[in-house]
């Protein structure tokens, strides 16, 4: 690896030359089953023929113009996403952090529009919202923040999945304008809240005139078996941030908003050079098309159940497995001890690509194009590894 790369990542000593579906091929020719999909990015797996064709065709025609002009692909994507999510308007950017940064700016504009000079946003413990200054401040992880003080003002933190904590803030703080929350916490350890949680947050937001802002950067784009995770509950957010799975690896993020929230950004208030360019939008449009035509939402649900059931059977009675949880193809296996070493042993012993988050939670985010047979291979390899690790 080059000495000229900044040391931002503790990289694994492996590089891949190409991929095919749910498989990655390393420089030495070894094939690996990809149960991480670039951290919930490659929903269509690798080298999907329809995506490849669409990107080549678009690249041969037009990659970038500028947001100084109308962009047909961007308009089409806005229409499509708003129809799928029940939202009114979209802003396109290039990453999850940028989508959340836009959400934070939007919430502040909303506050000021109501005469609140120091608007505050409620955020959660163990949350993850990105690495820009505002989004790392919103993130509920001291490790992400340490060394970057002074942090950004205007955030209030409460425990995740705790409605009464939010109600207490509501009773005492008149400057709150929004709640920013992940429907399922990803980086924090694949935490699925109680069934009524989002509905309660929606009720509190309605009662106080706050915006309900959902960070679906990880949970969105069919990952949990619905287009967006909030669609498992009977609610509608005011603001929705998307990125990871949206472009199948071509960088694209989006902020969707509804009602009054959709009218906050007026010319000059926000922008980006690359955001929503024709290539990125073509990637997103094709991703959505393939997911719909190939019924990948239903597949995510079925595969998630298959993998969780398989792991529960294979690991039943194994001491040290605390919990197997998740929704669709966002799955966490919590062990009773730190298990970051499993990433290397999965790779080297089982040719399996996984991730460990929050020290002791194995995180699976496989591509949605996985076959049943591949899901069974995943379960077999992972269960063997966990048993050996805990023995
Ligand atoms: C990954 C992630 C982000 C940050 O996205 P980037 O594209 O890395 O900036 C924000 N929120 C959630 C929930 C994420 O999982």
């Amino acid at each position: 690896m080059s000495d000229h790369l900044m040391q931002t990542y503790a990289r694994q000593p492996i590089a891949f030359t190409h991929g095919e579906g749910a498989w990655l091929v390393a420089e030495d020719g070894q094939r690996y089953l990809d149960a991480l999909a670039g951290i919930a990015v490659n929903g269509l797996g690798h080298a999907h023929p329809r995506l490849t064709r669409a990107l080549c065709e678009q690249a041969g025609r037009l990659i970038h113009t500028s947001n100084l002009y109308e962009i047909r692909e961007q308009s089409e994507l806005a229409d499509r996403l708003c129809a799928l999510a029940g939202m009114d308007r979209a802003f396109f950017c290039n990453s999850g952090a940028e989508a959340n940064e836009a959400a934070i700016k939007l919430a502040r504009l909303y506050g000021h529009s109501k005469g609140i000079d120091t608007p505050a946003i409620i955020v959660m413990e163990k949350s993850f919202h990105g690495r820009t200054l505002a989004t790392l401040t919103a993130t509920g992880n001291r490790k992400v923040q340490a060394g970057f003080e002074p942090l950004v003002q205007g955030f209030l933190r409460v425990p995740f999945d705790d409605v009464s904590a939010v109600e207490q803030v509501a009773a005492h703080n008149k400057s709150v304008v929004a709640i920013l929350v992940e429907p399922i916490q990803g980086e924090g350890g694949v935490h699925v809240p109680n069934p009524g949680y989002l509905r309660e947050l929606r009720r509190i937001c309605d009662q106080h005139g706050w915006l309900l802002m959902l960070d679906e950067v990880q949970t969105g784009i069919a990952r949990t078996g619905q287009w967006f995770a909030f669609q498992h509950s009977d609610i509608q957010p005011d603001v929705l941030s998307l990125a990871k799975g949206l472009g199948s690896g071509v960088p694209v993020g989006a902020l969707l908003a509804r009602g009054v929230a959709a009218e906050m950004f007026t010319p000059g208030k926000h922008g980006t050079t690359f955001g929503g360019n024709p290539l990125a939008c073509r990637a997103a449009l094709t991703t959505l098309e393939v997911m719909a035509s190939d019924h990948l939402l239903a597949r995510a649900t079925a595969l998630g159940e298959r993998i969780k059931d398989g792991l529960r059977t294979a690991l039943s009675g194994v001491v040290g497995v605390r919990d197997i949880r998740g929704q669709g193809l966002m799955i966490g296996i919590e062990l009773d001890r730190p298990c970051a070493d499993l990433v290397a042993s999965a790779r080297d012993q089982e040719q399996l690509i996984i991730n460990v988050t929050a020290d002791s939670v194995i995180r699976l985010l496989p591509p949605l194009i996985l076959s049943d047979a591949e899901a069974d291979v995943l379960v077999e390899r992972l269960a063997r590894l966990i048993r050996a690790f805990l023995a």
Side-chain angles (χ1 to χ4, degrees), residues 284-313:
L285 282 164
T286 308
T287 300
L288 299 175
E289 269 167 40
V290 174
M291 284 182 170
S293 71
D294 293 2
H295 310 289
L296 294 187
L297 282 70
R299 283 296 293 160
T301 301
L303 285 162
E305 291 310 311
R306 189 180 185 97
I307 292 169
K308 278 184 289 185
D309 287 349
L311 287 172
R312 284 186 186 122
T313 305

Side-chain angles (χ1 to χ4, degrees), residues 315-357:
L315 295 171
S316 76
V318 174
V319 178
V321 179
R322 278 233 176 104
D323 195 16
I324 298 171
R325 59 178 177 251
Q327 191 147 33
L329 284 178
M330 185 171 178
I331 297 170
I333 302 114
E334 183 172 344
L335 304 187
D336 69 351
R337 64 199 75 173
C339 59
D341 293 348
L342 278 176
V343 171
S345 47
R347 186 190 66 226
D348 297 342
Q349 292 164 32
E350 298 288 348
Q351 287 73 52
L352 178 65
I353 303 298
I354 58 167
N355 171 251
V356 168
T357 190

Side-chain angles (χ1 to χ4, degrees), residues 39-40 94-100 127-132 135 139 182 184-187 215-219 241 243-244 330 363:
I39 318 183
N94 315 288
S95 69
E98 280 178 76
N100 288 327
S127 62
F128 184 80
H129 298 296
R131 299 282 192 162
T132 63
T135 58
T139 291
E182 297 155 85
I184 298 173
Q185 289 188 325
E187 305 299 307
D215 178 349
E216 294 230 29
V217 168
Q218 190 161 149
T219 53
S241 54
K244 291 196 166 88
M330 185 171 178
R363 182 169 50 158

Side-chain angles (χ1 to χ4, degrees), residues 57-140:
E57 191 274 332
Q58 185 66 50
R61 197 150 47 87
L62 195 61
I63 292 177
H64 177 86
T65 53
S66 161
N67 285 304
L68 293 170
Y69 314 107
E70 294 185 23
I71 299 172
R72 296 285 169 245
E73 295 80 2
Q74 192 182 116
S75 293
E76 198 185 328
L77 181 58
D79 292 349
R80 185 86 181 105
L81 284 172
C82 285
L84 293 175
M87 305 298 272
D88 292 330
R89 292 187 192 276
F91 169 80
F92 292 101
C93 52
N94 315 288
S95 69
E98 280 178 76
N100 288 327
E101 188 80 24
I104 292 162
K105 285 181 69 175
L106 188 157
R108 287 185 170 196
L109 283 177
Y110 174 70
H112 286 283
S113 78
K114 298 204 301 177
I116 297 172
D117 294 334
T118 55
I121 299 171
I122 295 179
V123 291
M124 306 301 157
E125 289 174 7
K126 298 194 174 125
S127 62
F128 184 80
H129 298 296
R131 299 282 192 162
T132 63
L133 269 178
T135 58
L136 74 82
T137 304
T139 291

